[in-house]
Each structure stands twice: as C-alpha cells, then as structure tokens.
Amino acid sequence: MNTAQVQHDVRQHILDVAHPLLLRKGFTAVGLAEVLAAAQVPKGSFYHYFGSKEAFGEAVLEAYFNEYLGRMDDLLTQPGTAAQRLLAYFYDWLDSQTGDEAQSRCLVVKLGAEVCDLSETMRAALARGTGGIVERLARCVEAGRADGSLAEAVGDARTIGATLYQNWLGASLLAKITHDRAPLDTALIGTRQLLGLRLYT
C-alpha cells in the first residue's frame, strides 16, 4: 500500500471515529485531543490530515453527506413506482432516527444551528449537502408524475421536495427534544397527505 493510500485511510478513520463523538457532544464540545485519542492517532499528526479544526468539521460533514446521499440514491432507485420509493426513503429515515445506535442520528439536526454561526465553510457544506437531498426528492416527485404514481396536482416538484425535507428535519429535531417518535409519525402522515397518497397502503 502506498503512502498516499495510507494517509487517505488514516484520514478517513479519523472522520469515522469523530462522527459518533460529534453526534453525542456537538462540534465545539469535542476537542481534537479527544478525537485523536479515540482514533489512536498521535496528537501531533492532526494538522498533517486537516489544516484546522474548521477544515476537519467541513470534512466530517462532506463525508457524512457522501454516505447519506449514496444511501438515498440506493433507496430512490429501487424497483417499484416513484411514490413507493419516496415512502421507502421516509420509512428508512423514521427507522434511522428511532434506532439505538448513535450513528443512526442526523448530523444536520445535531450540528446545523451550532456550526452555521461558527464557520462559513461548514455552513456551506451543510447547504450543499441538504441541497443535494432536496434535489433528489424533487427528481423523485417528477418521476412520480411521469409514472402516474403521483398526481399532477401535487404541485411544483422542487417546492414539494423542499417542503418534505423541511418537515422531516423539523420532526427529527422535535423527536430529539421530546424523546418521542410521535413527531416523525406525524411527518409520515403529512408526507402521504402532501403527496396525495392514502394513509394506509
């Protein structure tokens, strides 16, 4: 294995280890020493992989969205109608937010408000990532119109995609605040209503 590959692997390992730490404690509360200790990487090597803690935070978000959008692409290209694929995505969201594993939680919910006031580059990474989510939802809504699984009267696809994401992001935050999955169940009902689908199909 060459040096570049080793460096890439170590860098990715640091990001993987940091993810659950940030989900539990937030960005400002997690020190670099804690991340490096958890990753079992020498303290003095951090700046070999990241130019600053801000650059590290941006890299964590980019890695998160790369994985998230890949998972989303898998769900939205499964067999079935576009409406079925949309519902499968939101059922997956509900399951991930009510699971026991810390890694299942949404990094946007945890870090969004915190880092947007701290770092423009991290805010921009969040904007790019969430924009990719909305874009994929909008494309699936358009596909639903094309295959007849969603009615033409549903509305502008981009607006629907943004509304769905905003509703689910807000529901995830409320579920975190209340320690109750009810906001997510409500979001699922609202999704079916917004898309003109029967509540129990």
Side-chain angles (χ1 to χ4, degrees):
M1 187 178 295
N2 60 41
T3 302
Q5 184 62 48
V6 171
Q7 291 177 345
H8 175 271
D9 290 348
V10 173
R11 185 179 189 273
Q12 186 60 50
H13 175 61
I14 294 171
L15 295 175
D16 291 342
V17 168
H19 186 174
L21 291 174
L22 295 176
L23 279 170
R24 286 198 304 270
K25 301 175 69 173
F27 182 72
T28 54
V30 173
L32 298 181
E34 181 179 4
V35 173
L36 294 174
Q40 298 183 322
V41 173
K43 290 182 180 180
S45 64
F46 176 83
Y47 294 104
H48 182 68
Y49 301 104
F50 307 99
S52 63
K53 188 179 181 185
E54 182 181 24
F56 161 71
E58 181 183 7
V60 168
L61 288 169
E62 288 176 343
Y64 168 75
F65 280 116
N66 283 340
E67 182 177 346
Y68 186 96
L69 293 173
R71 170 67 177 163
M72 190 175 185
D73 287 339
D74 288 343
L75 289 167
L76 295 182
T77 55
Q78 292 294 312
T81 66
Q84 290 170 334
R85 295 194 296 272
L86 275 172
L87 288 177
Y89 166 70
F90 287 116
Y91 274 113
D92 184 76
W93 185 326
L94 190 153
D95 289 343
S96 73
Q97 294 304 296
T98 54
D100 293 330
E101 294 296 322
Q103 289 87 342
S104 71
R105 301 298 191 258
C106 180
L107 204 58
V108 179
V109 170
K110 182 66 177 181
L111 300 186
E114 177 189 4
V115 303
C116 285
D117 293 333
L118 295 175
S119 165
E120 175 58 23
T121 59
M122 292 177 71
R123 185 208 61 77
L126 282 162
R128 289 192 300 272
T130 55
I133 294 171
V134 171
E135 178 185 340
R136 284 162 172 78
L137 292 174
R139 286 203 304 260
C140 202
V141 170
E142 290 174 349
R145 287 181 175 151
D147 70 17
S149 60
L150 296 176
E152 285 290 335
V154 163
D156 174 71
R158 175 75 185 185
T159 300
I160 295 297
T163 300
L164 288 171
Y165 182 63
Q166 290 164 16
N167 287 349
W168 279 86
L169 196 61
S172 297
L173 178 58
L174 286 172
K176 183 178 179 65
I177 290 170
T178 61
H179 289 181
D180 190 335
R181 63 173 278 162
L184 294 162
D185 291 328
T186 300
L188 185 59
I189 293 171
T191 295
R192 287 182 174 276
Q193 291 174 336
L194 187 64
L195 295 175
L197 303 173
R198 287 183 293 173
L199 292 184
Y200 302 105
T201 57

